Amino acid sequence: MSVLVGREAPDFTAPAVLGDGSIVDDFNLKTHTKDKYAVIFFYPLDFTFVCPSELIAFDHRLDEFTKRNVEVIGVSIDSHFTHNAWRNTPVNEGGIGPVRYPLIADMTHGICKAYDVETPDGTVAFRGSFLIDKDGVVRHQVVNDLPLGRNIDEMIRMIDALQFHETHGEVCPAGWKEGDEGMKDTPDGVANYLSKHAEEL
C-alpha cells in the first residue's frame, strides 16, 4: 500500500455523474478542483450496504465542506449509468438520493490503482479517503477495509487542522479541533503547550 501524503495527487479524467445530475464523459480532477481543496473518497460498489451510509453522510455534511472551500468527489468502479441509477433510487429503497457531489466511474480501475486502494484480488476499491490541498498535494489519507465505515467528521477535523496550520503556522497536537490552541513547532512551544494541556491528552 503506497503512502501518497506529501506527493502530488494523481490526476484523472473519467466519466462521472455531477452533483446536479448531469452525466459527463470527461470529468477532470485538476480542472474541477482548481484553487480549491479536495476530498476524494473511494468506495467498493453502488447498491451495497455500508457504502450508502457513507455517501449520504458526506452529502449531509456537504455545506461544511463547501464553506471550507473543499470539493468532495466519490469514486467507485461502477459505471456512470449505475451511479445515476443509484442517485435516482430513494433512500428508503436502498438508494442514496440526489447527492450533491460528483461520482466518478472508474470502470478501468485506473484511478483506484493510481491511488493504490484496489483490493488484492483486483475486484473493488478499499474505503480510501484523501485530503488534497490547493496545490494538488495529498496531505492526509486513511484506508479502511471493506466492512469498516469511515468517520466523515474526522475528515472535517483534518481539513480544519490543515487550514489552521496554513493560516497560523502552528502545528496541531493530538485531538486538536477547531477553536483549540495550536502549538509552535519548537522545543519551547512543546514545553509551553504540554505545561497547560498534558492532562487533557
Side-chain angles (χ1 to χ4, degrees):
M1 185 67 64
S2 296
V3 175
L4 294 182
V5 172
R7 300 187 172 112
E8 186 174 356
D11 193 21
F12 57 81
T13 299
V17 180
L18 303 184
D20 63 4
S22 58
I23 297 176
V24 299
D25 292 323
D26 57 354
F27 177 96
N28 178 257
L29 175 65
K30 284 188 176 180
T31 300
H32 186 78
T33 61
K34 184 179 181 182
D35 299 324
K36 295 184 178 183
Y37 301 86
V39 169
I40 299 177
F41 72 95
F42 293 81
Y43 64 95
L45 287 169
D46 297 343
F47 292 101
T48 52
F49 314 110
V50 175
C51 297
S53 69
E54 294 184 319
L55 274 77
I56 291 168
F58 269 112
D59 189 62
H60 284 175
R61 292 158 179 78
L62 192 62
D63 291 344
E64 293 298 314
F65 287 103
T66 300
K67 77 179 186 182
R68 291 166 170 81
N69 195 29
V70 179
E71 291 287 338
V72 173
I73 301 163
V75 183
S76 84
I77 62 165
D78 299 279
S79 75
H80 39 310
F81 303 113
T82 306
H83 289 335
N84 189 50
W86 204 24
R87 289 179 82 258
N88 289 327
T89 301
V91 171
N92 62 1
E93 296 178 13
I96 55 172
V99 297
R100 297 168 290 160
Y101 51 83
L103 298 179
I104 312 305
D106 184 23
M107 294 177 288
T108 67
H109 294 220
I111 305 171
C112 64
K113 287 177 179 176
Y115 283 79
D116 201 14
V117 293
E118 187 180 53
T119 55
D121 61 8
T123 56
V124 296
F126 287 120
R127 301 183 191 283
S129 306
F130 298 83
L131 170 58
I132 301 168
D133 69 16
K134 291 189 289 185
D135 294 322
V137 175
V138 177
R139 303 298 295 273
H140 167 71
Q141 76 179 67
V142 62
V143 181
N144 293 2
D145 201 356
L146 302 180
L148 308 177
R150 71 199 97 200
N151 185 333
I152 314 306
D153 294 322
E154 173 64 7
M155 181 58 80
I156 293 174
R157 189 185 76 85
M158 294 306 300
I159 294 164
D160 288 341
L162 172 59
Q163 294 181 346
F164 176 89
H165 170 68
E166 291 176 338
T167 300
H168 300 283
E170 296 183 336
V171 295
C172 300
W176 183 95
K177 60 186 182 300
E178 187 177 21
D180 286 354
E181 180 181 1
M183 179 195 297
K184 296 189 183 304
D185 57 350
T186 65
D188 287 344
V190 174
N192 180 60
Y193 180 87
L194 293 178
S195 69
K196 293 186 286 185
H197 300 289
E199 295 302 316
E200 304 164 11
L201 298 175

